[in-house]
Amino acid sequence: MSPPRHDRTPERWMKRTLALTRKGLGASAPNPAVGALVVKDGRIVGQGWHARAGQPHGEVMALNDAGSAAQGADLYVTLEPCHHQGRTPPCTQAILDAGISRVFYGAADPNPRVAGGGGEYLASQGVEVIPGVLAEECAFEHRFFLTHITKHRPHVVLKTAASLDGKTATFTGHSRWVTGPASRRFVHRVRGWVDAIAVGAGTVLADDPQLTCRLAGKANPLRIVVDSRLRLPSQAKVLDPKAAPGCLIACGPEPDAARVDRLVKDWVEVLPLPLGAAGGVDLAALLAELGARGVTSLLAEGGAGLAWGLVSQGLVDEVMYFYAPKLVGGQDAPPMIGGAGVETMDQALELTKPIIRRFGDDVLLWAGVK
């Protein structure tokens, strides 16, 4: 591959390309929502993004948009172009057919079917290839896909809303609302990004949530309830197809047949799984099953038991902690994370690169996991 030229504009164009990538979030899984931009003589002549699995990739959409103007132009793409036949033809051939002169890409693709092959193949065919442009930013936008490819499970985002003293509800169980409307609107945006959303049975019994995305034009994620003993009432809102179709209940092995029959519908699946060391549903087995089904991202919203199960097993990739300027108190008020906890501070889960954002009076701490 050729070394980068002394060009002051690649980062600027890649930022524009990243904005295209975000348009496909929540709709392209299990494929990445790759954004692509065709630039010629300092102006954009084509753009595109991968809108849905089975449809053309972002590079092809951008090249089609550019038409004959792609000849001799630069192509900016957030992820290394694919060089394999999947549900659609390889993007590398489309790039060659269009007569692209230079390809700038951000993140490398760890998919074993790609793994450097796309960039190397293009370079071998005379195309100048400049990798790693805003690589970290591009990898962040494609983190769901990258986790799915490398860990064979969904990228797990642990989201919690709490008071400043770390309580998610009062000692009576009252929790509406911990945070304000601005925070809740942003959570619906996040629900629109992910493929699935999960809660424990206790959250459903206490709050009876719908677990839907209430934003126009956004699909609802698959709703998952972790309910080892199938305590879920059949009238729970999460099971209502009018709110959203698609619900999976993860339970323990050999569930009671009568309880299964009571819950199973055309849009509701009961999935028996082995139990973990703590006696609840084996969450690693659940994530492996979801990964095999093409689920690339999971938003874990509650409660404290599910949060501890994911944290204690090293299954969390990212956290979103919303803090409201309130003090609740109470030894028996639910905490953000339950379970036994760690014994020493060096066993604590460490976060990295935290971002602080304000939503009204609330504060969001958004960070990755080391």
Side-chain angles (χ1 to χ4, degrees), residues 245-338:
C247 182
L248 185 150
I249 305 171
C251 66
E254 301 180 0
D256 180 85
R259 293 186 180 184
V260 172
D261 291 341
R262 174 175 56 84
L263 294 170
V264 168
K265 306 285 190 301
D266 289 342
W267 58 90
V268 179
E269 177 186 0
V270 172
L271 177 66
L273 292 167
L275 297 179
V281 170
D282 186 332
L283 297 176
L286 171 60
L287 294 182
E289 174 63 25
L290 293 174
R293 296 184 182 199
V295 176
T296 67
S297 52
L298 174 75
L299 179 64
E301 286 211 17
L306 177 63
W308 171 246
L310 293 167
V311 168
S312 63
Q313 295 178 56
L315 299 173
V316 176
D317 303 290
E318 184 178 336
V319 301
M320 289 183 170
Y321 272 28
F322 292 84
Y323 290 95
K326 300 174 182 178
L327 298 175
V328 173
Q331 275 190 319
D332 295 328
M336 303 167 84
I337 299 180

Side-chain angles (χ1 to χ4, degrees), residues 9-20 35 37 75-79 104-107 130 132-135 137-138:
T9 62
E11 289 76 15
R12 178 165 65 94
W13 292 124
M14 191 61 78
K15 286 181 180 179
R16 296 284 295 271
T17 312
L18 281 166
L20 295 172
L37 201 67
L75 175 67
Y76 289 83
V77 60
T78 52
L79 189 69
F104 298 79
Y105 73 79
I130 300 90
V133 180
L134 297 185
E137 291 90 335
C138 290

Side-chain angles (χ1 to χ4, degrees), residues 118-169:
E120 291 177 3
Y121 176 73
L122 290 171
S124 73
Q125 299 300 305
V127 178
E128 185 175 1
V129 178
I130 300 90
V133 180
L134 297 185
E136 187 173 350
E137 291 90 335
C138 290
F140 177 78
E141 294 298 340
H142 292 305
R143 63 197 184 282
F144 299 164
F145 169 76
L146 296 175
T147 298
H148 185 242
I149 286 294
T150 57
K151 298 183 179 180
H152 310 292
R153 64 164 175 80
H155 183 97
V156 176
V157 181
L158 177 61
K159 172 261 169 184
T160 306
S163 61
L164 282 180
D165 53 342
K167 306 298 184 181
T168 60

Side-chain angles (χ1 to χ4, degrees), residues 7 26 68 83 149 178 216 233 262 265 347:
D7 190 333
S68 60
H83 183 52
I149 286 294
V178 177
R262 174 175 56 84
K265 306 285 190 301
Q347 296 173 322

Side-chain angles (χ1 to χ4, degrees), residues 195-197 210-212 220-225 237-249 265-269:
D195 300 336
I197 179 171
Q210 291 183 344
L211 303 181
T212 55
N220 285 302
L222 171 67
R223 297 171 296 170
I224 299 170
V225 180
K237 291 178 182 177
V238 74
L239 303 178
D240 185 356
K242 294 178 183 177
C247 182
L248 185 150
I249 305 171
K265 306 285 190 301
D266 289 342
W267 58 90
V268 179
E269 177 186 0

